[in-house]
Amino acid sequence: MLPYTLYGSSRVTIKGEILMFGSLNLFEKFMPHGVCYQWRADILWLNVISDTVIAFAYFFIPSALIYFLRKKGEVPFTGVIYMFCVFIFACGLTHVLSIFTVWTGQYALQGTVKALTALASAATAIMLYPVMPKLLALRSPKELEETNVSLQEQIEQRKTSEAQSIKLQGDLARLGRITTVGQMATGLAHELNQPLLAISACADTAVLRAKKTSSDAVLFDCLDDIQAETQRAGAIIRALRQFISNKSSAWSAVDLNDLVEQAVRLMSGEARNADVQIVVNNGKVQVVTADNVQIAQVLVNLIRNAIEAISEVTDGQGSTQNVITITTGCDGEMVVVEVRDTGPGIAPGIDPFAAFETNKVDGLGVGLSISRDIIEAHGGKLAFKRLSGEGVGFIFSLPKRLPENLANAPVQ
Amino acid sequence: MSEEYPIVFLVDDDPSILKTLSRALEEHGLQVRPFKSAREFLDGYDGQHGCLILDLSLPEMDGLELQTELTVRSIAIPIIFITGHGGVSESVQAIRAGAIDFLEKPFLPETLLLRINEALEVDRGDRAQKRKDDAIRDRFHKMTDREREVFRLLIEGDSIPSSKVIAKSLGISHRTVEHHRGRILEKALCGSVPELRALAKEVSFVVG
């Protein structure tokens, strides 16, 4: 190998008619490149090893890219990436050829490989040009992550508002029922007030007449009761109508123990007829601001429900189990009243508050639904619990201090 | 007519209310005349004294409309409204227009009786006043045309005009005015001009 000289090599090159491309012999051998390194081991291996590493890297990169493309499936700009692979692979080949020519001077072969690489790289560059704006438009992983987070938030919001809208639909349906009941009640109020006035007038006349002929105390007591009950019916209708027209009626300081006592007195007749005993456990309660007629209505409602529930089991047969227990007390910021019965309880799956939904044979479930509306209008809650033994406890609470929005409501 | 027994007029379209309430009020010694519509009342009412118990909601002409109609016709019978609806705005309107009260059915009969007594008291007062007014008016009506002219000038204005001022504005002599003034005070049964002015004010004499 040593006999080749630099001069000789150029001569040989000219002799090899390098400019005559047509007759180019790819495998024509020239002076190996090692000669240029003067076969100095350090320079030679520095180049050879570097080229080797570069070549391996250049072969590995496209393989990795292709592996990535295959695995990932949908990746944008696949064409460009494949082109890039070809270009890098070709670059790797040129480095292989650089190693090869250190010992074997087949420069035509090397040049050809370089020419192919040039084509591939030029093509890649050209392809890259129109793709660039699109590449720039691609979101960075960080941006994508942010988008993801905000999408998650939106989904959460959607879910929340969906839940709200479902609740609202429920409220609306309930409101619809209330409106219907309200219209009925308004109509009924007028229709009932007429006969009530007539009854009241009759009772009055009867008292005057009876005074002329009788001194029967019970008779007068009866007539007085007729008058008082007629007026009470009128008061209930008035309160109901005011409640339905959403106006507060007479809000005043109310002692719930007093109201319970009144309600129990009102219901004592019904309770006696059904052979039900009413037990009252008066706890310490604070005076609350409320419409006493409305709260009395709720109490009467709950007691009546309890009596009806109990008579459903016993069917008039007296037993020691026929007890309604009314307990008053405080729970934090609320005054609480519980009405427990020893009835059959509420069948699972039945919502006792759903208007007109009732499991009682002859009941009309409006009472409970209106009761709850009354309590809620006072800023309180009406709930029920199925007792471990038999029966149900209905519990309502009223705030000791009237909430701002209610306190500020125009009271007339 | 003024010594007639007062009549409680009851207007309600519900026959059972008419029947039972009339009976109850009669039992309390009142004379009651029931009507089932505003129109029937207008046709049947003939200036008798008493009071009117008026249902708010009536077919055709309702209670408030009847109240207006009575005002238009200068019928000053005291009204107690009764209603099964309990409209706040209506009650305000009715009271503003001079109603005695606005009762929501079913009210206690004794509450109604109290209001009726109140209304009859008002009516009696109104009528006594009217009688008094009429008597005063009668006195004024006895005046001659010239006297009436002088009288008008005497009661007009913030201060009593002198005879000279009146004489000048009527183009008559000062002495004639003084003569007329004497006759006017005589006919009106008044001792002085200030008394005459007070009397005229009391009956809100419309100077025609």
Side-chain angles (χ1 to χ4, degrees):
Chain A
M1 291 188 219
L2 275 173
Y4 292 121
T5 62
L6 196 66
Y7 173 72
S9 101
S10 79
R11 186 171 53 89
V12 169
T13 311
I14 294 161
K15 267 201 169 171
E17 296 157 40
I18 196 165
L19 296 173
M20 299 166 71
F21 223 72
S23 60
L24 184 69
N25 179 5
L26 268 184
F27 303 103
E28 190 179 349
K29 286 193 176 170
F30 295 89
M31 192 169 57
H33 204 190
V35 177
C36 298
Y37 302 145
Q38 297 179 351
W39 301 109
R40 260 181 59 179
D42 50 356
I43 293 174
L44 188 141
W45 288 115
L46 176 67
N47 277 284
V48 168
I49 290 168
S50 299
D51 277 330
T52 310
V53 173
I54 292 170
F56 270 111
Y58 279 14
F59 293 148
F60 174 77
I61 289 169
S63 339
L65 274 175
I66 287 164
Y67 174 80
F68 171 78
L69 284 181
R70 287 279 156 84
K71 275 276 173 194
K72 202 68 185 172
E74 280 178 41
V75 173
F77 314 113
T78 324
V80 177
I81 294 172
Y82 274 120
M83 206 54 224
F84 193 69
C85 290
V86 172
F87 148 65
I88 292 192
F89 183 80
C91 283
L93 276 184
T94 59
H95 286 275
V96 172
L97 264 295
S98 289
I99 299 162
F100 179 67
T101 51
V102 169
W103 287 282
T104 315
Q106 290 183 348
Y107 296 112
L109 183 65
Q110 187 187 28
T112 309
V113 170
K114 278 187 177 172
L116 288 172
T117 308
L119 275 175
S121 51
T124 309
I126 290 165
M127 276 180 82
L128 208 56
Y129 181 76
V131 165
M132 189 50 77
K134 292 180 192 165
L135 272 174
L136 284 174
L138 275 183
R139 284 160 189 268
S140 71
K142 198 184 167 200
E143 277 177 320
L144 282 174
E145 200 172 322
E146 281 168 4
T147 314
N148 249 338
V149 168
S150 101
L151 274 174
Q152 284 292 340
E153 279 169 5
Q154 279 181 26
I155 288 169
E156 283 305 312
Q157 278 176 357
R158 284 277 165 84
K159 278 184 180 164
T160 316
S161 59
E162 204 174 309
Q164 278 172 343
S165 111
I166 286 170
K167 189 185 173 296
L168 221 60
Q169 266 176 12
D171 286 352
L172 217 63
R174 202 150 65 82
L175 209 66
R177 283 197 296 268
I178 290 169
T179 311
T180 315
V181 172
Q183 283 163 350
M184 277 164 56
T186 311
L188 272 177
H190 181 233
E191 293 312 312
L192 285 177
N193 281 333
Q194 301 289 103
L196 283 176
L197 176 59
I199 294 170
S200 165
C202 286
D204 191 64
T205 310
V207 170
L208 290 182
R209 277 292 159 115
K211 271 180 185 164
K212 289 177 186 165
T213 56
S214 167
S215 57
D216 186 341
V218 176
L219 174 64
F220 287 112
D221 203 30
C222 276
L223 293 174
D224 284 349
D225 282 351
I226 291 175
Q227 189 62 267
E229 290 303 299
T230 309
Q231 296 305 318
R232 188 170 70 85
I236 290 173
I237 288 172
R238 210 167 295 145
L240 187 69
R241 198 179 45 213
Q242 265 159 346
F243 170 70
I244 278 152
S245 66
N246 252 341
K247 285 177 197 144
S248 345
S249 50
W251 288 67
S252 57
V254 172
D255 184 331
L256 278 171
N257 282 338
D258 285 353
L259 270 193
V260 167
E261 194 193 317
Q262 284 170 27
V264 169
R265 207 187 307 143
L266 283 175
M267 297 307 293
S268 58
E270 267 180 58
R272 211 178 310 121
N273 289 343
D275 209 0
V276 173
Q277 195 195 341
I278 303 180
V279 178
V280 179
N281 300 323
N282 273 343
K284 249 198 157 174
V285 292
Q286 220 162 307
V287 170
V288 294
T289 306
D291 182 326
N292 58 347
V293 176
Q294 287 184 359
I295 302 300
Q297 268 175 271
V298 171
L299 276 166
V300 166
N301 228 323
L302 293 181
I303 296 170
R304 178 166 292 142
N305 278 342
I307 292 173
E308 284 174 7
I310 291 171
S311 30
E312 210 177 309
V313 217
T314 57
D315 209 6
Q317 303 290 307
S319 97
T320 49
Q321 278 301 301
N322 298 350
V323 180
I324 295 171
T325 315
I326 304 174
T327 313
T328 59
C330 287
D331 181 15
E333 287 308 299
M334 310 293 267
V335 174
V336 183
V337 179
E338 188 195 39
V339 179
R340 277 176 184 238
D341 66 54
T342 51
I346 293 167
I350 288 212
D351 174 10
F353 292 113
F356 298 116
E357 188 178 321
T358 173
N359 57 349
K360 281 197 294 260
V361 191
D362 54 356
L364 183 64
V366 179
L368 268 180
S369 151
I370 289 183
S371 293
R372 182 173 62 178
D373 292 331
I374 289 174
I375 295 297
E376 283 176 3
H378 279 78
K381 281 206 166 72
L382 173 60
F384 74 99
K385 61 178 182 199
R386 296 180 168 93
L387 300 175
S388 51
E390 274 192 323
V392 179
F394 276 92
I395 303 138
F396 72 82
S397 57
L398 293 173
K400 288 177 181 172
R401 210 178 279 268
L402 208 59
E404 284 284 300
N405 57 335
L406 291 177
N408 291 337
V411 173
Q412 60 163 83
Chain B
M1 189 159 106
S2 58
E3 296 312 315
E4 245 180 67
Y5 208 65
I7 297 170
V8 176
F9 295 92
L10 174 61
V11 182
D12 197 311
D13 59 328
D14 188 327
S16 57
I17 298 273
L18 281 187
K19 182 191 162 197
T20 57
L21 203 54
S22 299
R23 191 171 59 194
L25 296 177
E26 277 166 0
E27 201 63 37
H28 281 277
L30 290 162
Q31 203 174 330
V32 184
R33 201 171 296 174
F35 296 94
K36 62 175 188 289
S37 74
R39 188 58 61 192
E40 273 187 31
F41 169 75
L42 282 173
D43 292 343
Y45 182 71
D46 197 20
Q48 299 94 330
H49 72 148
C51 68
L52 171 62
I53 301 170
L54 181 54
D55 188 26
L56 183 69
S57 50
L58 294 167
E60 290 169 56
M61 182 187 275
D62 71 22
L64 290 176
E65 285 165 348
L66 177 57
Q67 187 184 29
T68 311
E69 181 62 27
L70 290 175
T71 311
V72 168
R73 295 192 187 192
S74 310
I75 297 171
I77 186 165
I79 302 174
I80 300 157
F81 275 97
I82 57 174
T83 177
H85 286 300
V88 176
S89 56
E90 287 94 339
S91 67
V92 169
Q93 194 187 331
I95 302 283
R96 280 213 182 123
I100 299 289
D101 204 352
F102 197 95
L103 299 176
E104 269 189 60
K105 296 175 189 174
F107 40 80
L108 276 173
E110 56 199 71
T111 310
L112 180 63
L113 281 168
L114 283 174
R115 293 294 168 272
I116 289 173
N117 283 335
E118 212 175 295
L120 293 180
E121 197 63 48
V122 169
D123 186 52
R124 260 195 295 279
D126 283 354
R127 279 170 196 271
Q129 178 67 38
K130 192 171 178 295
R131 272 200 299 281
K132 204 171 147 197
D133 290 358
D134 288 348
I136 296 166
R137 267 173 232 266
D138 280 350
R139 293 185 229 162
F140 292 154
H141 285 144
K142 286 179 189 143
M143 287 186 274
T144 63
D145 286 351
R146 180 58 91 184
E147 280 163 4
R148 205 185 301 276
E149 274 182 301
V150 175
F151 168 70
R152 191 173 64 191
L153 291 171
L154 276 173
I155 62 165
E156 270 176 1
D158 292 332
S159 61
I160 302 165
S162 70
S163 304
K164 279 182 185 167
V165 173
I166 294 171
K168 205 175 177 188
S169 67
L170 292 177
I172 51 178
S173 83
H174 165 233
R175 288 197 49 171
T176 314
V177 171
E178 297 212 318
H179 170 74
H180 284 315
R181 195 174 60 185
R183 295 287 296 155
I184 290 165
L185 291 177
E186 202 175 297
K187 283 179 178 173
L189 304 171
C190 289
S192 67
V193 175
E195 199 184 322
L196 179 78
R197 283 170 67 97
L199 195 68
K201 206 173 172 184
E202 202 179 309
V203 296
S204 52
F205 189 87
V206 183
V207 183

